[in-house]
Amino acid sequence: MLKRIYLFFCCLLFSGSINAQNLSVNLTEELVIGDDENASSEYLFFSPTQICIDSKNKIYVAGYNRGEIRVFNQQGKYIKSIGKRGKGPGEILEVLSMTIDKNDNLIVVDRSNDRFTVFTDFGSNFKVYPMTIDHVIDAFSIAPLSSEEYLIYYQTIPPLKNGHFPSG
């Protein structure tokens, strides 16, 4: 099934009080990637889950269980893929969250591999950091604090006991 990725840019300016019942938002389609079912596979996504844009307006898109991040220019032309599906260094199984830091490094949280990877030099190099947190089910966001420190906002679940979640 073909899924489109839409990038929407909207600007809301408010003055005075806001009545939420009367608030309306107009979204303008700026770019569509993968609009043609006959397009090459780089442009087609089963289920895009994460998107971010670097300082040079390159667009990074992760799809559900794809194991790679596809990169497009600001016109939507495919440039390259970063990573591939797997468990080895620089490989990805499941992108939970990703961001771009101030140096345009791509930071990817991979739940299935229990780690996050920092891809530098437009994906040519990487450094892998193990996640020492058990039972992470979702990483809502990741923020670089410095070149070696990262803040990950995540959700965990308790381990199952006899096939059930513990009560209380």
Side-chain angles (χ1 to χ4, degrees):
M1 171 183 274
L2 175 70
K3 293 269 185 163
R4 292 181 179 184
I5 295 178
Y6 293 96
L7 298 179
F8 294 105
F9 298 94
C10 64
C11 179
L12 302 175
L13 299 175
F14 300 107
S15 63
S17 63
I18 299 172
N19 183 343
Q21 293 174 349
N22 295 327
L23 179 66
S24 66
V25 176
N26 293 319
L27 299 175
T28 303
E29 181 179 295
E30 295 287 330
L31 175 67
V32 177
I33 298 174
D35 192 26
D36 180 3
E37 289 186 18
N38 298 318
S40 63
S41 62
E42 293 89 2
Y43 292 91
L44 303 177
F45 294 88
F46 169 68
S47 182
T49 58
Q50 299 285 321
I51 186 168
C52 52
I53 300 172
D54 71 12
S55 68
K56 296 174 183 79
N57 293 318
K58 290 190 291 275
I59 304 163
Y60 297 73
V61 182
Y64 180 73
N65 285 337
R66 291 289 306 170
E68 67 181 6
I69 288 87
R70 295 184 200 160
V71 185
F72 301 87
N73 68 16
Q74 63 187 15
Q75 290 79 34
K77 183 175 186 257
Y78 174 78
I79 300 172
K80 70 180 284 186
S81 292
I82 295 175
K84 65 178 185 175
R85 187 160 177 75
K87 294 183 177 187
E91 296 177 340
I92 304 164
L93 285 177
E94 183 181 9
V95 177
L96 274 186
S97 182
M98 67 182 193
T99 193
I100 303 287
D101 70 11
K102 66 181 180 179
N103 297 316
D104 283 341
N105 298 318
L106 173 66
I107 305 162
V108 178
V109 177
D110 183 349
R111 171 176 54 191
S112 295
N113 279 327
D114 292 321
R115 64 185 182 206
F116 67 98
T117 303
V118 179
F119 292 95
T120 60
D121 305 316
F122 198 44
S124 299
N125 298 298
F126 58 86
K127 186 167 184 178
V128 176
Y129 296 88
M131 290 192 10
T132 56
I133 309 153
D134 291 331
H135 313 293
V136 172
I137 60 168
D138 208 351
F140 300 108
S141 64
I142 181 167
L145 301 176
S146 70
S147 63
E148 293 291 322
E149 296 178 307
Y150 301 91
L151 173 68
I152 302 174
Y153 173 51
Y154 61 90
Q155 177 182 8
T156 62
I157 59 170
L160 296 176
K161 291 184 180 178
N162 299 323
H164 301 283
F165 291 111
S167 60

